[in-house]
Amino acid sequence: QLQLVESGGGLVQPGGSLRLSCAASGRSLEYYAIGWFRQAPGKEREGISCISSSDSDGSTYYSDSVKGRFTISRDDAKNTVYLQMNNLKPEDTGRYSCAALRTRFGASMVCSIGSYDRWGQGTQVTVSS
């Protein structure tokens, strides 16, 4: 059974960087699209970055709030998807979760749907001085 574990969160100063990892076990991520979702206190959860499965179109998606600062990538040999976060801002604070969907849908579609096969437990990111 597929399981996802996020890591890499923590406390960082504005302008700093973090790299989040979404490590899979039980199944290969090769056939799964992966999305990163952020939920801040009092706000709706939003899909901030997604990447399609390795056997699909290879597309990526970024929300307007993170485009140009965040980069999503996957390393199928390590069965892990990463989210490199640069120039972090206080508004980036929230709990970051990854989710997997066994689909060949493009990344933008993956980030817009509400149903996923598996969720990780999330990792907290706090951006403050």
Side-chain angles (χ1 to χ4, degrees), residues 11 23 26 30 45 47 56-57 60 68-70 73-74 77-78 80 82 91 96 100 110 112 115 124-125:
L11 176 64
E30 178 181 3
R45 183 178 62 198
S56 66
D57 62 4
T60 59
R69 299 187 296 120
F70 291 10
S73 63
R74 64 191 304 144
K78 296 181 178 179
T80 301
Y82 303 98
E91 66 188 56
Y96 287 71
V110 171
S112 68
S115 180
Q124 180 68 32
V125 172

Side-chain angles (χ1 to χ4, degrees), residues 4 8 10 18 31 42 53 59 61 66 74 76 83 88 90 94 115 129:
L4 303 175
L18 288 173
Y31 306 108
S53 63
S59 60
Y61 165 86
V66 308
R74 64 191 304 144
D76 287 338
L83 185 67
L88 284 162
S115 180
S129 60

Side-chain angles (χ1 to χ4, degrees), residues 90-112:
E91 66 188 56
D92 295 319
T93 294
R95 189 160 190 86
Y96 287 71
S97 301
C98 64
L101 181 66
R102 193 177 185 185
T103 180
R104 297 182 71 251
F105 290 168
S108 62
M109 176 65 72
V110 171
C111 263
S112 68

Side-chain angles (χ1 to χ4, degrees), residues 27-33 52-56 74 76 79 103:
R27 297 285 189 276
S28 173
L29 284 184
E30 178 181 3
Y31 306 108
Y32 289 84
S52 62
S53 63
S54 295
D55 67 335
S56 66
R74 64 191 304 144
D76 287 338
N79 217 25
T103 180

